[in-house]
Amino acid sequence: MLRAVIFDLDGTLLNSIDDLADAANWVCARNGWPLHTLEEYKHFVGSGIPNLCRRFAPPEAQSPEQQARVLADFRARYDAHKEDKTAPYPGAAGAVRALQNAGVMCGVLSNKEDGLAKAVVEHYFPGVFRHVQGAVAGRPVKPDPAGVFSLLKEMGLAPGPGVFLVGDSDVDVFTGKNAGLPVCGALWGFRGRAELAAAGADLLAETPAEMARLLLARAG
């Protein structure tokens, strides 16, 4: 029986890549560094904002002091422009509602900072998710399973049969494997079929609606 679904945020529920890329390239331009393409940013994101900043900065800007400045500049720019182009993927909210109407608990686990993740989810999905967790100090980010276990505890559940993860990258698939949970790959997101299949996703869905149908079929 399907008990719960844990969703990734960026690239799964939200198409946020333009705002992330714009903020990162703003930092690059400000420092006179080479800019990166949207496709490059689709592979830079997924492991948290500090890792994103390390990936778009050049080799000569990798010291802890430099990265602290890069991170501060990126956060300020992104916070001011994080809603310019970002939008939920078509059908995402309806798919979540279909799962909830079938009695399935739904939560969000993101590598965004916890406060930002909660604010973004509530802005774009008001009243939809009761359980949202992002990155917190002292806890490793995905693909470490610590966040999964923390979120499930908040939801009053234990990891095991009936809990699925949904995400668009190999980070999400590895998170599920590390937590002992199956994963449905979101083909509509940033990374695509080849990466998700190679990582070992248990299911692959072309759209949020298909994802909901596949998971609800597991509930029957």
Side-chain angles (χ1 to χ4, degrees):
M1 178 179 180
L2 185 64
R3 298 180 295 149
V5 177
I6 297 175
F7 289 92
D8 172 52
L9 181 55
D10 296 279
T12 301
L13 294 171
L14 286 181
N15 187 355
S16 55
I17 194 64
D18 289 284
D19 287 336
L20 289 164
D22 287 351
N25 273 341
W26 179 87
V27 176
C28 290
R30 187 181 190 196
N31 287 279
W33 302 335
L35 306 186
H36 301 282
T37 68
L38 199 64
E39 287 304 310
E40 287 178 296
Y41 280 113
K42 288 181 180 180
H43 292 272
F44 288 171
V45 301
S47 300
I49 288 176
N51 284 317
L52 167 61
C53 290
R54 282 189 283 273
R55 289 166 181 166
F56 71 68
E60 63 269 20
Q62 297 292 330
S63 73
E65 295 77 16
Q66 290 169 313
Q67 278 296 299
R69 290 192 295 271
V70 171
L71 185 59
D73 286 348
F74 175 85
R75 282 174 169 158
R77 181 70 178 185
Y78 181 63
D79 187 59
H81 295 274
K82 64 182 181 295
E83 297 164 6
D84 288 0
K85 301 174 183 177
T86 293
Y89 282 103
V96 172
R97 288 296 193 194
L99 291 166
Q100 292 173 329
N101 290 340
V104 179
M105 297 183 70
C106 295
V108 178
L109 180 63
S110 173
N111 276 344
K112 268 183 162 65
E113 285 89 345
D114 188 62
L116 179 58
K118 286 180 166 65
V120 166
V121 170
E122 185 56 27
H123 176 80
Y124 288 103
F125 298 93
V128 174
F129 293 97
R130 291 181 54 198
H131 305 285
V132 178
Q133 289 190 16
V136 297
R139 188 180 76 196
V141 298
K142 298 184 292 184
D144 190 282
V148 173
F149 299 146
S150 176
L151 183 60
L152 286 175
K153 182 177 180 181
E154 178 185 311
M155 297 169 76
L157 299 171
V163 179
F164 247 90
L165 269 66
V166 177
D168 69 301
S169 75
D170 58 359
V171 172
D172 301 302
V173 178
F174 298 148
T175 302
K177 289 181 177 295
N178 291 337
L181 301 176
V183 180
C184 180
L187 297 178
W188 62 87
F190 297 163
R191 299 290 181 82
R193 180 181 298 273
E195 178 173 311
L196 290 164
D202 299 272
L203 298 173
L204 295 171
E206 294 280 357
T207 65
E210 183 183 17
M211 173 274 299
R213 288 195 298 270
L214 288 173
L215 295 189
L216 288 174
R218 292 291 185 100

